[in-house]
Amino acid sequence: DLASVSTRADRDDGGWIVNGTKIWTSNAHTNDWFICLLRTTPLEADSNKREGLSQVLIDLHNTDGLELSPIPFLNGEHHFNEVSFTDVFVPDENIVGQAGMGWNQNTTEMAYERGGPDRWLSPFSTVEQLLRETQGTDIGERATELFGELTARWWSMRNLSLSVARLIDDGEAPSIESSLVKEMGTRFEIEVIEKLVELVDHQLTPESESLFQRLLAQCVLTGPGNTIRGGTIEILRSVASKGLQGLPA
Ligand SMILES: Cc1cc2nc3c(=O)[nH]c(=O)nc-3n(C[C@H](O)[C@H](O)[C@H](O)COP(=O)(O)OP(=O)(O)OC[C@H]3O[C@@H](n4cnc5c(N)ncnc54)[C@H](O)[C@@H]3O)c2cc1C
């Protein structure tokens, strides 16, 4: 429930003082800056929680009071961090867009992430690598049929993504369309990964000599996360159905 964000920024001379935490921050330890959604107007009992939020750009290296704590994956990899703020000063010029408009800005920007191909293309390079490794050999009827089917469906997904990109280029905010692309795309991605695992039919390991098998092992680990990040499948369905009924998101 993103609108319930409680990490807050209080007015100060020439900027804001931030206190609280920001969880699930991908790769904060390898980046220089990040954008954070903060409550800049306190939430009263009767106020709309989607108002009074602002997006703020924060320097991850040169900011006093900022602390990064890794949240390791089950396999030990470091991807996530929790960022905590203790009286962090952020100057006014670091407000992204307009103060108080963070919710609208954030939901509009999500169309880039949800409509883009990176949420359904992860196993594509894996299939390409399999074809490279099996070049000149007979991959069999089952694999040929599978790759024919996948290519046709990738082509359709690509066209849906391009339609979202065109709407964004035209200045529209395609939140329904992009939610549906991500909902379909990440389910398709999981299906591709499962079919490849079935085709290979032996134990996958990230240490395999075959690059194809290493890529597939990586897809098995990261695929499910793509159905969560940027909006879970349930939330995307909810955004689309509310949007189609003309209800507020
Ligand atoms: C790999 C990965 C990278 C990420 N990177 C970032 C990042 O860089 N920055 C960032 O801010 N976040 C990041 N996230 C966090 C991600 O955006 C959230 O995990 C996601 O939005 C779900 O929110 P939540 O974890 O609070 O789950 P919850 O909202 O608590 O959801 C838990 C479950 O309840 C269901 N649910 C929740 N509300 C409803 C509802 N109203 N109706 C029906 N079902 C509902 C959800 O679908 C889900 O199954 C990342 C997550 C992953 C997995």
Side-chain angles (χ1 to χ4, degrees):
D1 181 10
L2 184 60
S4 297
V5 58
S6 59
T7 298
R8 63 174 213 278
D10 299 314
R11 208 70 186 98
D12 194 55
D13 204 15
W16 303 82
I17 300 288
V18 183
N19 279 289
T21 54
K22 162 78 191 80
I23 200 163
W24 308 134
T25 314
S26 295
N27 299 318
H29 56 298
T30 56
N31 283 278
D32 299 325
W33 294 82
F34 85 126
I35 294 180
C36 199
L37 186 72
L38 302 170
R39 177 150 295 287
T40 43
T41 305
L43 192 60
E44 307 294 341
D46 58 348
S47 56
N48 179 348
K49 59 185 184 177
R50 289 171 185 153
E51 288 168 7
L53 296 170
S54 305
Q55 289 181 306
V56 179
L57 196 56
I58 295 177
D59 184 335
L60 282 162
H61 295 299
N62 307 303
T63 304
D64 290 337
L66 197 79
E67 199 184 330
L68 299 189
S69 310
I71 309 173
F73 278 169
L74 282 177
N75 69 352
E77 260 178 49
H78 183 185
H79 169 94
F80 283 131
N81 302 272
E82 180 168 53
V83 183
S84 61
F85 308 88
T86 309
D87 292 331
V88 166
F89 177 77
V90 180
D92 276 332
E93 62 263 28
N94 285 21
I95 292 276
V96 178
Q98 222 179 313
M101 293 302 288
W103 179 263
N104 281 352
Q105 290 174 198
N106 188 65
T107 47
T108 312
E109 288 156 9
M110 289 309 282
Y112 287 94
E113 179 173 352
R114 292 175 176 166
D118 52 326
R119 294 289 176 263
W120 47 267
L121 263 186
S122 77
F124 186 82
S125 52
T126 310
V127 170
E128 270 188 329
Q129 183 57 28
L130 174 62
L131 293 176
R132 250 179 240 125
E133 289 182 17
T134 52
Q135 208 169 21
T137 63
D138 179 8
I139 56 171
E141 202 175 323
R142 197 165 137 233
T144 310
E145 268 177 25
L146 175 62
F147 297 147
E149 181 202 323
L150 296 183
T151 306
R153 291 174 66 189
W154 263 315
W155 186 254
S156 316
M157 287 303 307
R158 178 175 186 272
N159 282 312
L160 292 174
S161 256
L162 284 174
S163 307
V164 169
R166 279 189 213 103
L167 288 170
I168 294 173
D169 276 352
D170 289 345
E172 309 236 358
S175 72
I176 302 174
E177 295 84 345
S178 59
S179 296
L180 291 175
V181 168
K182 182 174 183 285
E183 196 271 351
M184 278 187 275
T186 52
R187 278 191 298 111
F188 173 52
E189 184 179 72
I190 296 291
E191 195 187 321
V192 177
I193 295 167
E194 283 172 358
K195 285 186 169 162
L196 289 175
V197 169
E198 216 178 285
L199 192 71
V200 173
D201 196 25
H202 58 77
Q203 189 66 39
L204 288 169
T205 129
E207 285 83 37
S208 166
E209 276 188 14
S210 146
L211 176 57
F212 158 69
Q213 288 191 22
R214 293 202 302 276
L215 288 171
L216 185 54
Q218 188 63 26
C219 286
V220 170
L221 287 176
T222 55
N226 287 342
T227 67
I228 299 172
R229 66 196 306 184
T232 64
I233 286 191
E234 290 76 15
I235 291 297
L236 297 171
R237 287 178 184 167
S238 167
V239 169
S241 72
K242 283 182 185 164
L244 290 168
Q245 293 174 77
L247 300 169

